[in-house]
Amino acid sequence: KVQLMESGGDSVQVGGSLRLSCAASRYDVSRRSMEWFRQGPGKGRVGVALFDTEGTTDYANSVKGRFTISKDHAKNTLYLQMTSLKTEDTGMYYCAAVDTCTSNRLLADRWFDYWGQGTQVTVSS
């Protein structure tokens, strides 16, 4: 069974930085599109960053210029580097992977086949 395991969430002050990790097992992170979603308090899941192949990424407008998605082939791990954090970045962050299609643009959550358990990010003023 495919396993996705997020880590790196923490409580930080406005303007701080965090790096989230998504370790995959029984799944090649280079094979299909992967995406980071977040779910804020009382809100639904929203895609924030997508990685398909090297040089193929997409970001939500709210995080452009502040977040960077990347991968490490040797560790079979997807990352999300977050800088200049804002209170509105608060939420549970999920790693998701799709196995039936690929895209160079953000995809809605209905497209994804596999999900991690999430890691909490809290940004305080």
Side-chain angles (χ1 to χ4, degrees):
K1 181 180 179 181
V2 172
Q3 298 283 336
L4 303 175
M5 296 167 287
E6 303 96 333
S7 62
D10 205 351
S11 297
V12 299
Q13 295 179 348
V14 170
S17 299
L18 287 172
R19 188 179 74 162
L20 307 184
S21 299
C22 174
S25 61
R26 304 180 185 89
Y27 188 91
D28 183 351
V29 301
S30 68
R31 183 180 179 186
R32 295 286 189 272
S33 295
M34 300 184 71
E35 189 167 320
W36 287 97
F37 290 81
R38 74 173 169 223
Q39 185 170 15
K43 300 179 181 179
R45 292 182 182 181
V46 178
V48 297
L50 173 142
F51 185 96
D52 189 9
T53 61
E54 185 175 357
T56 306
T57 61
D58 193 30
Y59 299 92
N61 288 336
S62 62
V63 307
K64 286 181 179 178
R66 300 189 297 117
F67 289 13
T68 302
I69 189 169
S70 62
K71 67 177 181 180
D72 185 322
H73 290 173
K75 297 181 179 179
N76 203 36
T77 298
L78 185 77
Y79 299 98
L80 184 67
Q81 179 67 51
M82 306 185 294
T83 63
S84 301
L85 284 163
K86 305 175 180 179
T87 56
E88 51 262 45
D89 295 318
T90 292
M92 185 72 74
Y93 282 72
Y94 297 90
C95 174
V98 65
D99 202 32
T100 57
C101 66
T102 187
S103 177
N104 61 357
R105 297 287 186 271
L106 288 170
L107 294 170
D109 56 2
R110 64 183 175 87
W111 288 97
F112 289 85
D113 301 293
Y114 312 111
W115 294 83
Q117 79 284 3
T119 186
Q120 179 67 36
V121 172
T122 302
V123 185
S124 302
S125 62

